[in-house]
Amino acid sequence: MKQTMSKNTITTITTKWNELDDKAVDTARVLAMDSVQKVGNGHPGTAMSLAPIAYTLFQRILRHDPANPNWFGRDRFILSCGHSSLTLYIQLFFSGYGIELNDLQSFRTWGAKTPGHPEYGHTVGVETTTGPLGQGVANGVGMAMAARFVRGLLTDKNDLENSELFSPNIWVLCSDGDLQEGISAEASSLAGTQKLGNLKVIYDDNRISIEGDTHLAFTEDVSARYKAYGWEVFEVEMKKDGNVDREKFETAALSALKINDRPVLIRLKSVIAWPAPSAKGTAKSHGSALGADEVAKTKAILGFDETKSFYVDEKVLAHAREVKTRAETLYKEWDKKFQSWRHANPEKGKLFDRIKNLDIPTNLELPKFEDKDKKLIQYLAQHEHTSPFRHAYVQFHVKAPIFVFRQWMKHQVGCSWNEISGRYVEFPDDEFFIPTSFRQQSKDNKQGSEGEIEVNHRESARLAYETACKHAVAE
């Protein structure tokens, strides 16, 4: 398969899907069943139904290189539905990221490279730790903001040729449960406002949670909501037999890559645990082993030997790992352009090194407080649990430093925070940065009733900004 790189990522695929690709997808489904069956617990259903989607992403869409997993120009893939970790692990195995068959056999066991939920820094190829539903969506928003910020630091917005070097796409795969959470809603709203054209979210709409049909509690029109946020939305229906429509998904994904002025949601209809004869479409398949009998029947449907576990055809694995050769070509092409840019921009090259290494500027001037301000803040902190001082504590101890920081940043960069230029962003609410510790419980001494001081510690925005602001000090 030949892939070519244009703006943002790979947008041309010149080799047709073949029988080995079909066999690789079915192998992924079998490995998902076997891995959960062996350990006795886990989430096989989504990894089975989305095997064609994950395989298509890693083989035909994502710009990545298993030999250079920290390549700065790579696309990022976030599995927001972290409980379906096998969806990612199996593709890391196919692509050659260092996960091997024995790691899948050790799934969800102590010390394995394949814990129940993906963990950043533990498994090569995992971009962020996920598990709490919705968190990966917010992380994706933060990564998209950070990528755009770094691009603005290193290139002029009119320098389209070099801006491609620092324009990765952020792909997020999420579930019904992710989009039920407020954290994803608030972060997605922010993404629409910020016009994050490098953010692509795939929504697995299978209508199943661990409790049952999601329509028990979740009946909104998700597509309409995201259109209202300012997103482009593509709808991909399933095939008549319940399998995901891989071909239409690939068409939607390639169309998404052409959109760079707003984020994209691909709403994908699926049947969880397809094609298991009894387990497909059930809540049980979401979070438990299918059982030996169901696994055997599903293997028979897929044309696999029912008596073999963790079987991988050598030809299938070799075919899948050809992605490493294609990835090497992409990396060398990017690196050649990058070295040319570095030679022409030596100072920007130094800035790039500092950003990549997460180094703090040596000439950074932090805001300073007068002694009287320090004494006031210390006094309020010591008396924060005394009712009359609570409001003042929040105002002076939390909001005042944020205000000072904002004014300092304006002075440092000489730019209005209201400018959506790819480099700076206005905080929509001071209270986005108020930490969770300020959500305090209080008691009315006279009536003995419990109350709560609300200060709107919006976790979704915190996560988005926390990710984005990792590079904020680079200016």
Side-chain angles (χ1 to χ4, degrees), residues 85-373:
S85 53
L86 285 165
T87 300
L88 175 56
Y89 295 151
I90 292 170
Q91 297 312 315
L92 296 180
F93 164 59
F94 279 160
S95 298
Y97 272 89
I99 287 183
E100 299 298 343
L101 200 58
N102 65 301
D103 296 307
L104 297 177
Q105 293 169 336
S106 301
F107 177 59
R108 292 176 72 99
T109 60
W110 182 256
K113 293 181 181 178
T114 51
H117 294 75
E119 297 180 16
Y120 175 73
H122 180 76
T123 307
V124 176
V126 173
E127 299 285 1
T128 184
T129 301
T130 53
L133 292 175
Q135 178 173 305
V137 175
N139 285 150
V141 174
M143 286 188 185
M145 292 171 68
R148 190 176 66 176
F149 182 84
V150 170
R151 184 187 65 194
L153 289 174
L154 299 176
T155 65
D156 184 86
K157 65 180 180 181
N158 296 319
D159 185 3
L160 298 180
E161 181 178 357
N162 285 320
S163 67
E164 293 180 14
L165 292 168
F166 311 107
S167 299
N169 281 302
I170 313 301
W171 286 88
V172 180
L173 180 57
C174 72
S175 62
D176 294 287
D178 287 294
L179 297 193
Q180 290 175 11
E181 297 288 343
I183 183 174
S184 62
E186 294 173 15
S188 296
S189 176
L190 176 62
T193 299
Q194 284 296 308
K195 303 182 186 302
L196 297 178
N198 55 345
L199 179 62
K200 322 294 180 184
V201 176
I202 304 162
Y203 163 36
D204 176 29
D205 185 7
N206 62 27
R207 276 189 59 175
I208 288 293
S209 70
I210 202 165
E211 292 84 10
D213 191 332
T214 56
H215 276 208
L216 292 169
F218 186 61
T219 58
E220 67 187 45
D221 187 339
V222 174
S223 297
R225 174 157 65 93
Y226 272 77
K227 288 177 182 178
Y229 289 154
W231 291 50
E232 182 72 26
V233 177
F234 294 101
E235 304 266 359
V236 179
E237 296 294 329
M238 71 182 78
K239 293 181 178 180
K240 291 182 179 180
D241 63 357
N243 193 7
V244 294
D245 196 323
R246 195 209 65 80
E247 294 82 1
K248 288 184 178 179
F249 166 75
E250 184 172 306
T251 299
L254 293 176
S255 297
L257 292 176
K258 298 176 183 178
I259 297 173
N260 53 36
D261 61 348
R262 58 198 179 280
V264 174
L265 178 76
I266 300 176
R267 185 176 184 177
L268 177 76
K269 296 286 187 177
S270 71
V271 174
I272 194 170
W274 194 92
S278 299
K280 64 184 178 183
T282 66
K284 180 181 178 181
S285 69
H286 170 91
S288 60
L290 301 187
D293 184 60
E294 185 74 357
V295 169
K297 290 179 180 178
T298 307
K299 286 180 179 179
I301 291 172
L302 294 172
F304 281 69
D305 188 333
E306 304 169 34
T307 64
K308 294 182 179 180
S309 295
F310 294 98
Y311 175 74
V312 179
D313 189 311
E314 291 182 1
K315 291 182 180 180
V316 170
L317 184 58
H319 174 71
R321 290 196 173 173
E322 287 177 6
V323 72
K324 298 176 72 173
T325 302
R326 301 190 292 271
E328 181 183 12
T329 300
L330 284 171
Y331 174 76
K332 288 182 177 179
E333 179 184 346
W334 180 90
D335 190 58
K336 182 178 179 180
K337 293 180 180 179
F338 172 74
Q339 295 302 333
S340 177
W341 169 85
R342 179 191 279 278
H343 179 75
N345 301 273
E347 291 303 314
K348 292 289 187 180
K350 293 178 182 178
L351 177 58
F352 170 84
D353 292 337
R354 182 156 59 76
I355 292 172
K356 185 177 180 180
N357 297 328
L358 298 178
D359 293 334
I360 296 176
T362 56
N363 61 344
L364 186 65
E365 297 180 8
L366 296 175
K368 297 179 181 179
F369 291 97
E370 300 293 334
D371 288 340
K372 60 181 180 180
D373 296 323

Side-chain angles (χ1 to χ4, degrees), residues 134-143 145-146 181-191 194 196 425-436 455-470:
Q135 178 173 305
V137 175
N139 285 150
V141 174
M143 286 188 185
M145 292 171 68
E181 297 288 343
I183 183 174
S184 62
E186 294 173 15
S188 296
S189 176
L190 176 62
Q194 284 296 308
L196 297 178
V425 57
E426 173 71 31
F427 300 130
D429 189 336
D430 287 350
E431 293 169 350
F432 276 157
F433 270 123
I434 295 178
T436 314
V455 289
N456 289 333
H457 66 293
R458 300 190 180 179
E459 188 71 5
S460 59
R462 182 189 69 77
L463 280 167
Y465 281 125
E466 184 178 273
T467 308
C469 290
K470 287 172 67 177

Side-chain angles (χ1 to χ4, degrees), residues 6-161:
S6 63
K7 183 168 179 58
N8 286 340
T9 191
I10 305 165
T11 56
T12 303
I13 301 173
T14 58
T15 301
K16 292 183 178 180
W17 186 274
N18 60 41
E19 292 182 3
L20 285 174
D21 293 313
D22 282 328
K23 196 67 175 178
V25 167
D26 289 341
T27 300
R29 287 176 163 138
V30 169
L31 290 175
M33 290 190 297
D34 284 344
S35 297
V36 176
Q37 190 65 29
K38 182 177 185 295
V39 73
N41 52 77
H43 298 76
T46 298
M48 293 171 64
S49 59
L50 295 190
I53 305 305
Y55 183 81
T56 297
L57 281 172
F58 276 80
Q59 293 287 323
R60 301 169 70 84
I61 303 295
L62 292 177
R63 179 171 63 182
H64 68 114
D65 182 7
N68 295 280
N70 296 319
W71 171 23
F72 200 83
R74 73 191 184 281
D75 288 342
R76 273 65 167 177
F77 174 77
I78 299 172
L79 184 70
S80 189
C81 46
H83 57 272
S84 182
S85 53
L86 285 165
T87 300
L88 175 56
Y89 295 151
I90 292 170
Q91 297 312 315
L92 296 180
F93 164 59
F94 279 160
S95 298
Y97 272 89
I99 287 183
E100 299 298 343
L101 200 58
N102 65 301
D103 296 307
L104 297 177
Q105 293 169 336
S106 301
F107 177 59
R108 292 176 72 99
T109 60
W110 182 256
K113 293 181 181 178
T114 51
H117 294 75
E119 297 180 16
Y120 175 73
H122 180 76
T123 307
V124 176
V126 173
E127 299 285 1
T128 184
T129 301
T130 53
L133 292 175
Q135 178 173 305
V137 175
N139 285 150
V141 174
M143 286 188 185
M145 292 171 68
R148 190 176 66 176
F149 182 84
V150 170
R151 184 187 65 194
L153 289 174
L154 299 176
T155 65
D156 184 86
K157 65 180 180 181
N158 296 319
D159 185 3
L160 298 180
E161 181 178 357

